[in-house]
Amino acid sequence: MKKGIAWLAACMLILVLAACGGANQSADSGSNGSDAGVTASEELVIKASNYEFDQPEYHLKKGVPVNIVYENVNGNHGILVPELNLMLDTRNSSKVITPDKVGEFEMSCSVFCGSGHSSMISKIIVEE
C-alpha cells in the first residue's frame, strides 16, 4: 500500500514539474507591436556589460518591424522595456517588435547584477 502511494505521489510530482518547467511558446500580440511571425526589416543589437549598455539611447521608427537582439558581453544582465512589451536575456535573446507609439521609453537591466544595477539604464526612442 505504501509503495502504491509513493509511486502515485512521484508520478504527480513529475507531472507538476513538467507543467511548470515548460518554456512559454505562446505568441505575444498586444499593444506596442510584439509580432511573432513578422519578418523584420531592420535589426537592432543591444549589448550589455557590467552596469552599462553599449549606447545611452537607441532609435527606432514607428511602424517598422525590427528584430531586437540582446548580447551579454560581461556579467549577467537582461533588458526590460515594459511599454514595448520587451524583455530579453541570455535565454530569450531576440524578439521582433513593431513600435506603434512615438516616444522615449526607459530600458533597464532586468537581472539584478550587483551594486551598479540601479544605474544600468538607457532609452529606446521611437520616431515618426
Side-chain angles (χ1 to χ4, degrees), residues 44-45 47 52-59 107 121-123:
L44 170 65
V45 177
K47 296 180 182 182
E52 65 183 1
F53 295 106
D54 64 327
Q55 296 181 32
E57 57 188 45
Y58 303 87
H59 294 265
M107 179 175 66
I121 297 172
S122 186
K123 291 181 185 175

CSV table of all heavy atoms in Angstrom, one decimal, residues 44-45 47 52-59 107 121-123:
chain,number,residue,atom,x,y,z
A,44,LEU,N,18.3,45.6,-34.5
A,44,LEU,CA,19.0,46.5,-33.5
A,44,LEU,C,19.7,45.5,-32.5
A,44,LEU,O,19.0,44.6,-31.9
A,44,LEU,CB,18.0,47.3,-32.8
A,44,LEU,CG,18.5,48.1,-31.5
A,44,LEU,CD1,19.6,49.1,-31.9
A,44,LEU,CD2,17.3,48.7,-30.8
A,45,VAL,N,21.0,45.7,-32.4
A,45,VAL,CA,21.7,44.9,-31.4
A,45,VAL,C,22.0,45.7,-30.2
A,45,VAL,O,22.6,46.8,-30.3
A,45,VAL,CB,23.0,44.3,-32.0
A,45,VAL,CG1,23.8,43.5,-31.0
A,45,VAL,CG2,22.7,43.5,-33.3
A,47,LYS,N,24.0,45.6,-26.6
A,47,LYS,CA,25.0,44.9,-25.8
A,47,LYS,C,25.0,45.4,-24.4
A,47,LYS,O,24.9,46.6,-24.2
A,47,LYS,CB,26.4,45.1,-26.5
A,47,LYS,CG,26.4,44.5,-27.9
A,47,LYS,CD,27.8,44.6,-28.5
A,47,LYS,CE,27.8,44.1,-29.9
A,47,LYS,NZ,29.1,44.2,-30.5
A,52,GLU,N,26.3,48.8,-17.6
A,52,GLU,CA,26.0,49.7,-18.7
A,52,GLU,C,25.6,49.0,-20.0
A,52,GLU,O,26.0,47.9,-20.2
A,52,GLU,CB,27.2,50.6,-19.0
A,52,GLU,CG,28.4,49.9,-19.5
A,52,GLU,CD,29.6,50.8,-19.7
A,52,GLU,OE1,29.5,52.0,-19.4
A,52,GLU,OE2,30.7,50.3,-20.1
A,53,PHE,N,24.8,49.7,-20.8
A,53,PHE,CA,24.5,49.3,-22.1
A,53,PHE,C,25.5,49.9,-23.1
A,53,PHE,O,26.1,51.0,-22.7
A,53,PHE,CB,23.1,49.6,-22.5
A,53,PHE,CG,22.1,48.9,-21.6
A,53,PHE,CD1,21.4,49.6,-20.6
A,53,PHE,CD2,21.8,47.6,-21.8
A,53,PHE,CE1,20.4,48.9,-19.8
A,53,PHE,CE2,20.9,46.9,-21.0
A,53,PHE,CZ,20.2,47.6,-20.0
A,54,ASP,N,25.7,49.4,-24.3
A,54,ASP,CA,26.7,50.0,-25.2
A,54,ASP,C,26.3,51.3,-25.7
A,54,ASP,O,27.2,52.0,-26.2
A,54,ASP,CB,27.0,49.0,-26.3
A,54,ASP,CG,25.8,48.7,-27.2
A,54,ASP,OD1,24.7,48.7,-26.7
A,54,ASP,OD2,26.0,48.4,-28.4
A,55,GLN,N,25.1,51.8,-25.6
A,55,GLN,CA,24.7,53.1,-26.1
A,55,GLN,C,23.7,53.7,-25.0
A,55,GLN,O,22.9,53.0,-24.4
A,55,GLN,CB,24.0,53.0,-27.4
A,55,GLN,CG,24.9,52.5,-28.5
A,55,GLN,CD,24.1,52.5,-29.9
A,55,GLN,OE1,23.3,53.3,-30.1
A,55,GLN,NE2,24.5,51.5,-30.7
A,56,PRO,N,23.8,55.1,-24.9
A,56,PRO,CA,22.8,55.7,-24.0
A,56,PRO,C,21.4,55.7,-24.5
A,56,PRO,O,20.5,55.8,-23.8
A,56,PRO,CB,23.4,57.1,-23.8
A,56,PRO,CG,24.3,57.3,-25.0
A,56,PRO,CD,24.8,56.0,-25.5
A,57,GLU,N,21.3,55.7,-25.9
A,57,GLU,CA,19.9,55.6,-26.5
A,57,GLU,C,20.0,54.9,-27.8
A,57,GLU,O,21.0,54.8,-28.5
A,57,GLU,CB,19.4,57.0,-26.6
A,57,GLU,CG,20.2,58.0,-27.4
A,57,GLU,CD,19.6,59.4,-27.4
A,57,GLU,OE1,19.3,59.9,-26.3
A,57,GLU,OE2,19.6,60.0,-28.5
A,58,TYR,N,18.8,54.3,-28.1
A,58,TYR,CA,18.7,53.6,-29.4
A,58,TYR,C,17.5,54.1,-30.1
A,58,TYR,O,16.5,54.5,-29.4
A,58,TYR,CB,18.5,52.1,-29.1
A,58,TYR,CG,19.6,51.5,-28.3
A,58,TYR,CD1,19.5,51.5,-26.9
A,58,TYR,CD2,20.6,50.8,-28.9
A,58,TYR,CE1,20.5,51.0,-26.1
A,58,TYR,CE2,21.7,50.3,-28.1
A,58,TYR,CZ,21.6,50.3,-26.7
A,58,TYR,OH,22.6,49.8,-26.0
A,59,HIS,N,17.5,54.2,-31.4
A,59,HIS,CA,16.4,54.9,-32.2
A,59,HIS,C,15.7,53.8,-33.1
A,59,HIS,O,16.4,53.0,-33.8
A,59,HIS,CB,17.0,56.0,-33.0
A,59,HIS,CG,17.5,57.1,-32.2
A,59,HIS,ND1,16.7,58.2,-31.9
A,59,HIS,CD2,18.7,57.3,-31.6
A,59,HIS,CE1,17.4,59.0,-31.2
A,59,HIS,NE2,18.6,58.5,-30.9
A,107,MET,N,14.8,51.9,-20.8
A,107,MET,CA,15.3,50.5,-20.8
A,107,MET,C,16.2,50.3,-19.6
A,107,MET,O,17.1,51.1,-19.3
A,107,MET,CB,16.1,50.2,-22.1
A,107,MET,CG,16.6,48.8,-22.2
A,107,MET,SD,17.4,48.4,-23.7
A,107,MET,CE,18.8,49.4,-23.7
A,121,ILE,N,20.7,52.0,-17.0
A,121,ILE,CA,19.5,52.5,-17.7
A,121,ILE,C,19.9,53.1,-19.1
A,121,ILE,O,21.0,53.7,-19.2
A,121,ILE,CB,18.8,53.6,-16.9
A,121,ILE,CG1,18.3,52.9,-15.6
A,121,ILE,CG2,17.7,54.2,-17.6
A,121,ILE,CD1,17.8,53.9,-14.6
A,122,SER,N,19.1,52.9,-20.1
A,122,SER,CA,19.3,53.5,-21.4
A,122,SER,C,17.9,53.9,-21.9
A,122,SER,O,16.9,53.7,-21.1
A,122,SER,CB,19.9,52.5,-22.3
A,122,SER,OG,20.2,53.1,-23.5
A,123,LYS,N,17.8,54.4,-23.1
A,123,LYS,CA,16.5,54.8,-23.7
A,123,LYS,C,16.3,54.2,-25.1
A,123,LYS,O,17.3,54.1,-25.8
A,123,LYS,CB,16.4,56.3,-23.8
A,123,LYS,CG,16.3,57.1,-22.6
A,123,LYS,CD,16.2,58.5,-22.9
A,123,LYS,CE,16.2,59.4,-21.6
A,123,LYS,NZ,16.2,60.8,-21.9
